[in-house]
Amino acid sequence: MAQSSIPDPVSKLSEGQLSQLLDAAKTAAAKAYAPYSKFTVGASILLKSGSIVSGCNVENASYSVTICAERVAACTAIADQQLDWKAIVIVSPSGVSPCGSCRQFLSEFAPDLPIYYGRLDSSLAQLTVTSLDILLPAQMRLEDL
């Protein structure tokens, strides 16, 4: 597993939990609505309760109102009042990390969230692992305004 220079967040998850998260993200990606870009993304968040919530990207002809899989998963958790997040897995055709908007959105709820990301066909060993505080080192916080 590729890794940034952070303490290994893998130790926070069992292989079984990570495998479930990866499968859930892949299942979510298959449900994506991406008629314009054909770039399907799935994300799954492991809640500290042990539950998993997932989301897929939903495109729109007006690209600015497209919503990313990470934010769909996060909003699902938030709507269910599940704010204790343990990790997120994101899969996409090329294995990209979360965009800047998703990084800032996620940081509102879990500023040091472990993030695993990879290609749609990734195995556990092929996921890149990092954390939100590494990807977004100067997170904007309300108390800083």
Side-chain angles (χ1 to χ4, degrees), residues 52-111:
I52 294 173
V53 294
S54 298
C56 60
N57 58 316
V58 180
E59 292 182 348
N60 190 279
S62 175
Y63 271 26
S64 66
V65 295
T66 292
I67 186 166
C68 300
E70 298 91 315
R71 284 182 281 149
V72 172
C75 287
T76 300
I78 294 161
D80 198 30
Q81 298 182 337
Q82 299 291 328
L83 303 180
D84 293 324
W85 304 347
K86 194 166 181 180
I88 187 169
V89 171
I90 305 148
V91 294
S92 64
S94 60
V96 297
S97 68
C99 73
S101 293
C102 287
R103 292 174 189 195
Q104 182 59 48
F105 189 91
L106 294 170
S107 77
E108 180 88 9
F109 303 94

Side-chain angles (χ1 to χ4, degrees), residues 1 10 21 28 33 49 55 63-64 71-72 88 93 121 127 143:
M1 192 174 300
V10 174
L21 273 176
Y33 179 73
S49 68
Y63 271 26
S64 66
R71 284 182 281 149
V72 172
I88 187 169
D121 60 356
L127 292 175
E143 61 266 15

Side-chain angles (χ1 to χ4, degrees), residues 13 15-32 40-47 50-57 69-70 72-73 76 87-92 116 118-124 127:
L13 300 180
E15 188 173 315
Q17 288 174 313
L18 187 54
S19 181
Q20 285 182 308
L21 273 176
L22 180 58
D23 290 345
K26 289 178 179 183
T27 298
K31 298 175 183 177
T40 58
V41 182
S44 58
I45 297 173
L46 177 63
L47 306 172
S51 297
I52 294 173
V53 294
S54 298
C56 60
N57 58 316
E70 298 91 315
V72 172
T76 300
I88 187 169
V89 171
I90 305 148
V91 294
S92 64
Y116 300 80
R119 297 173 56 94
L120 289 167
D121 60 356
S122 290
S123 67
L124 292 179
L127 292 175

